[in-house]
Amino acid sequence: MQVSDAGAFGAYRNAIAGLEADYGGRYLVRAPVLDRLEGDGPDDERVVVMEFPDARSVRNFIGSDAYQVAKRLRAGAATLNMRLVTEDL
């Protein structure tokens, strides 16, 4: 993730606060990249890692009306690349 407008991104962050728990999720990491050991990326890159009980739960979280509203608040404030990593395919 790369944040370009901290104020607008804060509105997104506030809008999703606690929403992950409604879908069984929890944050494992929310931090800026400390040191790039290999590969390229922006200097101000941040990493967010969340854990959910299964793939369906995270898809329900991302597809929820509340997340979709929050996502519109994030438009133009940050660039995200989301990945789903799971054994539950």
Side-chain angles (χ1 to χ4, degrees):
M1 170 174 54
Q2 186 176 15
V3 177
S4 56
D5 182 337
F9 185 78
Y12 160 77
R13 189 179 57 239
N14 290 341
I16 65 165
L19 183 61
E20 76 287 344
D22 292 345
Y23 296 89
R26 68 185 183 107
Y27 287 94
L28 300 178
V29 176
R30 287 185 281 188
V33 171
L34 178 64
D35 191 7
R36 189 168 322 289
L37 301 176
E38 202 172 314
D40 296 323
D43 291 337
D44 57 349
E45 184 177 24
R46 298 183 56 83
V47 173
V48 176
V49 178
M50 300 172 76
E51 177 182 59
F52 286 85
D54 51 42
R56 181 175 39 169
S57 296
V58 72
R59 287 186 176 112
N60 289 340
F61 166 73
I62 295 296
S64 71
D65 291 340
Y67 186 84
Q68 293 304 308
V69 168
K71 183 178 174 179
R72 287 191 289 275
L73 296 172
R74 189 187 73 215
T79 303
L80 275 70
N81 290 298
M82 292 188 181
R83 309 289 186 262
L84 174 60
V85 180
T86 182
E87 295 176 11
D88 179 43
L89 296 176

